[in-house]
Amino acid sequence: MKKTATLGALCLLLCSAGTHAQTSPAPASPPVSPAPASPPVSPAPASPPVSPAPASPPVSPAPEVPAQKPTTLKLGAFFPSNGDLKNAVGSTFFSVGAEYAFPSKANASALVPLAYLDYAGRSKSRSVNDGQGNSVSATLTASTIGIGGGVRYYLGTPGTGSTSPYLGAGLGVYFDHLKADANVSSGGQSGSGSSSLNKTQLGFRLNAGVEFQQKYLVEINYTNAGSVEGTRIDGFGLQAGVRF
């Protein structure tokens, strides 16, 4: 009986120990240390302000140059150099000229090609009476016509000022003409006769002038139209003209 009570007490003790073991809490985990805080990120330094590029100065438009006028008409006087010619017909001839220029259409050019037509001429009448009823009257004529091509060179850009000086030169074909018409009266009788000399040859001209407002001009020139039977036809001229 005593043994039985002892065994029952042991059984109760063992059962109580098992139940205590089942209900004991698990040992607490060690605390997790928090990760160290990251150092503060310094903000990137602000970029310096970008200065705006300086504005380009405005480009002034090129001054508009008026179109060059192609046609020229000139009037003036021609002064022959040959003494025999001056004695025969006089020292001052009438002269007229025309030009047609071919200016650049893109812009005003200092060098302008052109075609020209020139004329210079004069007639003079003379009469001689010997006092015995004999008389001679004669009309002498000298002229030259030149047709050719040349250039006009402006000393600067034409049309950019009130005056434009220029130089020129030309080469052409010249038609020279000398003629004498005579009437003779003697002893109540009269007669007439005519004689002429014509020659076609190369000649040239040189000129210098000043143009005003691309419209009016004053010009001096030299023309050499060759010679006819030893009579040289050349001389200086002075002309005024207009362009249109």
Side-chain angles (χ1 to χ4, degrees):
M1 186 70 178
K2 188 176 183 181
K3 289 181 181 181
T4 303
T6 303
L7 289 173
L10 288 172
C11 288
L12 289 172
L13 183 62
L14 288 172
C15 289
S16 176
T19 302
H20 180 75
Q22 291 177 355
T23 59
S24 299
S29 300
V32 179
S33 301
S38 300
V41 179
S42 301
S47 301
V50 179
S51 301
S56 300
V59 179
S60 300
E64 185 177 350
V65 178
Q68 293 173 272
K69 298 176 175 63
T71 306
T72 302
L73 291 179
K74 300 182 290 184
L75 295 174
F78 174 76
F79 309 100
S81 300
N82 184 270
D84 293 337
L85 190 60
K86 288 192 288 185
N87 292 333
V89 296
S91 59
T92 304
F93 288 24
F94 169 75
S95 70
V96 60
E99 295 176 354
Y100 189 85
F102 304 92
S104 170
K105 295 182 178 180
N107 51 29
S109 175
L111 186 65
V112 181
L114 55 86
Y116 71 87
L117 171 64
D118 286 341
Y119 167 84
R122 176 169 177 168
S123 294
K124 185 176 181 179
S125 296
R126 289 184 173 185
S127 62
V128 177
N129 192 325
D130 62 2
Q132 298 179 1
N134 301 316
S135 64
V136 176
S137 61
T139 301
L140 306 176
T141 302
S143 65
T144 181
I145 298 174
I147 302 174
V151 293
R152 185 191 309 142
Y153 179 74
Y154 288 93
L155 304 178
T157 303
T160 56
S162 59
T163 60
S164 299
Y166 63 89
L167 303 174
L171 179 68
V173 177
Y174 286 79
F175 305 91
D176 301 327
H177 174 71
L178 299 177
K179 183 179 180 182
D181 295 313
N183 292 307
V184 178
S185 176
S186 177
Q189 297 181 345
S190 63
S192 63
S194 177
S195 176
S196 63
L197 297 172
N198 300 286
K199 189 173 183 180
T200 302
Q201 55 196 321
L202 285 176
F204 67 90
R205 72 173 195 177
L206 303 172
N207 55 310
V210 178
E211 185 178 288
F212 304 93
Q213 302 293 342
Q214 279 197 303
K215 185 174 183 180
Y216 304 105
L217 64 99
V218 176
E219 181 180 292
I220 59 172
N221 51 61
Y222 171 77
T223 300
N224 188 323
S227 63
V228 179
E229 297 295 326
T231 301
R232 192 175 71 255
I233 302 177
D234 72 325
F236 291 89
L238 177 63
Q239 293 178 312
V242 61
R243 302 200 200 284
F244 56 92

